[in-house]
Amino acid sequence: MSQLVRGVIARGKGAPVEVTTIVVPDPGPGEAVVKVQACGVCHTDLHYREGGINDDFPFLLGHEAAGVVESVGAGVTDVAPGDFVVLNWRAVCGNCRACLRGKPWYCFATHNATQKMTLEDGTELSPALGIGAFVEKTLVAAGQCTKVDPSARAAAVGLLGCGVMAGIGAAINTGGVTRGDSVAVIGCGGVGDGAVAGAALAGATTIIAIDTDDQKLEWARGFGATHTVNARGIDVVKAVQDLTGGNGADVVIEAVGRPETYKQAFYARDLAGTVVLVGVPTPEMTIELPLLDVFGRGGALKSSWYGDCLPTRDFPMLTALYQQGRLDLDAFVSEEIALDQVEEAFGKMHTGGVLRSVVIF
Ligand SMILES: NC(=O)c1ccc[n+]([C@@H]2O[C@H](COP(=O)([O-])OP(=O)(O)OC[C@H]3O[C@@H](n4cnc5c(N)ncnc54)[C@H](O)[C@@H]3O)[C@@H](O)[C@H]2O)c1
Ligand SMILES: [Zn+2]
Ligand SMILES: [Zn+2]
């Protein structure tokens, strides 16, 4: 029997989101229905509602969530009703070329639920990042559910489902930050501060946080930034060079997704440094770089999807660090909000004052 629940959808490009009734089918083979307890508001949800990712409206937004498995379909053995799980948007297949080559974070056969959640009139919804979790209950593939310590706070560990994981993983997994490194992070929202926290966990000794908002910079210090730079009206590349003995940073992480910050990231690295691109640009964005500059700089230019994470390895590990007081996930949660405040939370991404708004059910 399908169930009727409340959820947040984006109907068309740029239109404000709305709370409406969603039809959640029973889980089919390999699927699970999860009672969502908390779901963070990520900038990628705003990209969806602005039509910046694709045009498959209407979207069921939300993808950074933790909750409890309510029911599972045939053949599901890894999770059972009652399990506390963090949802992931990349359930790796184990069999594709990427998986077999030991790089499952590039899995191109990601399994999401095959059935669709719909509106009451039968309109099929596109779940954001294959999840859709601004909803009381959601249908996902069982492989999208990763069990973590059930005593952990849902609002905190749910953030591992996207932004904070993307940031920590960009630093540790993609950037390979190690003890003694200098790291610059451009954009200190939930993702960028995840990168700051990841760099600190990895033992970086210089961590430069860069943002246009002083409040964000103050929070970045709390996550381990050793230096902060307000990017307004200054030469960001020079600022990073000045703080790294003229060299540029060993690892530069871009967590904004704009042409000017992509360009800053490219030039702010040490000649042998690594640039990690995490911010998501829109399809029309471009930058021009002299080929001599591309050629003349060694190191590596990488992008990072989901922090090159393995949810089954990384979610329980980071939850353990959180429980031990070594990773302050609570500090990412600026406010707990209700389902009908998602549009307001999008507004705060521009006006500031909030690191992560988290919808609590
Ligand atoms: N690659 C991935 O796997 C992945 C995962 C999640 C999110 N993202 C992307 O990462 C980006 C950041 O997401 P978020 O949720 O942290 O967003 P956010 O809105 O919380 O944070 C963005 C930050 O960038 C700052 N900023 C804006 N313009 C700037 C500039 N010119 N210089 C320096 N700082 C500037 C803002 O003040 C803000 O603090 C988005 O593009 C999002 O889509 C990527
Ligand atoms: Zn695969
Ligand atoms: Zn996200």
Side-chain angles (χ1 to χ4, degrees):
M1 272 264 294
S2 56
Q3 308 186 56
L4 298 182
V5 296
R6 310 273 291 156
V8 173
I9 64 161
R11 273 191 201 274
K13 200 168 180 154
V17 298
E18 53 185 276
V19 179
T20 190
T21 302
I22 311 289
V23 183
V24 184
D26 277 348
E31 294 175 343
V33 167
V34 174
K35 201 166 180 302
V36 180
Q37 292 183 329
C39 182
V41 184
C42 174
H43 210 118
T44 304
D45 292 306
L46 180 54
H47 288 325
Y48 270 108
R49 100 110 154 81
E50 287 172 341
I53 308 269
N54 62 52
D55 277 330
D56 299 338
F57 290 98
F59 291 108
L60 176 60
L61 298 179
H63 59 272
E64 199 175 76
V68 173
V69 176
E70 183 186 75
S71 55
V72 297
V76 173
T77 53
D78 287 346
V79 288
D83 283 346
F84 179 59
V85 295
V86 174
L87 300 182
N88 73 73
W89 44 269
R90 172 162 299 152
V92 298
C93 79
N95 282 316
C96 71
R97 187 163 175 272
C99 284
L100 293 175
R101 284 167 61 100
K103 298 194 172 180
W105 38 89
Y106 288 123
C107 177
F108 47 78
T110 301
H111 292 300
N112 293 328
T114 47
Q115 295 187 88
K116 288 281 179 194
M117 291 177 274
T118 65
L119 297 176
E120 279 186 292
D121 66 5
T123 305
E124 286 192 351
L125 294 166
S126 305
L129 288 171
I131 294 184
F134 289 148
V135 61
E136 291 159 322
K137 294 177 185 182
T138 188
L139 174 81
V140 291
Q144 292 181 273
C145 302
T146 306
K147 281 192 271 187
V148 299
D149 182 343
S151 67
R153 177 185 172 204
V157 292
L159 302 184
L160 296 174
C162 186
V164 175
M165 181 71 249
I168 294 177
I172 296 178
N173 298 334
T174 318
V177 173
T178 188
R179 287 182 298 283
D181 274 354
S182 56
V183 178
V185 178
I186 306 177
C188 296
V191 176
D193 275 350
V196 169
L201 276 172
T205 42
T206 301
I207 304 175
I208 305 164
I210 302 155
D211 203 290
T212 46
D213 176 345
D214 283 328
Q215 168 79 79
K216 294 282 172 72
L217 294 174
E218 199 183 313
W219 284 326
R221 277 202 182 267
F223 292 109
T226 56
H227 302 79
T228 56
V229 172
N230 190 317
R232 267 186 209 288
I234 66 139
D235 181 341
V236 167
V237 174
K238 182 164 186 311
V240 173
Q241 286 167 342
D242 286 348
L243 291 166
T244 52
N247 301 313
D250 295 314
V251 181
V252 182
I253 297 163
E254 199 281 359
V256 183
R258 296 202 47 80
E260 61 273 24
T261 44
Y262 262 53
K263 209 160 184 172
Q264 289 163 359
F266 180 81
Y267 284 106
R269 80 175 189 268
D270 178 88
L271 276 186
T274 300
V275 179
V276 182
L277 304 169
V278 187
V280 180
T282 57
E284 68 281 359
M285 288 179 183
T286 58
I287 57 170
E288 263 186 41
L289 291 171
L291 282 184
L292 196 56
D293 288 358
V294 179
F295 169 76
R297 301 185 150 254
L301 184 59
K302 297 178 161 187
S303 57
S304 182
W305 310 333
Y306 212 170
D308 291 347
C309 78
L310 269 179
T312 43
R313 175 193 65 189
D314 295 338
F315 292 1
M317 184 249 296
L318 294 172
T319 301
L321 288 172
Y322 164 60
Q323 300 284 71
Q324 293 162 7
R326 296 157 73 191
L327 171 63
D328 191 0
L329 292 177
D330 290 321
F332 285 91
V333 183
S334 307
E335 56 170 9
E336 297 188 345
I337 63 171
L339 203 49
D340 60 4
Q341 292 175 290
V342 169
E343 187 60 37
E344 229 175 278
F346 284 154
K348 289 178 187 166
M349 284 179 177
H350 296 300
T351 55
V354 163
L355 189 51
R356 265 302 190 259
S357 308
V358 180
V359 175
I360 299 296
F361 294 86

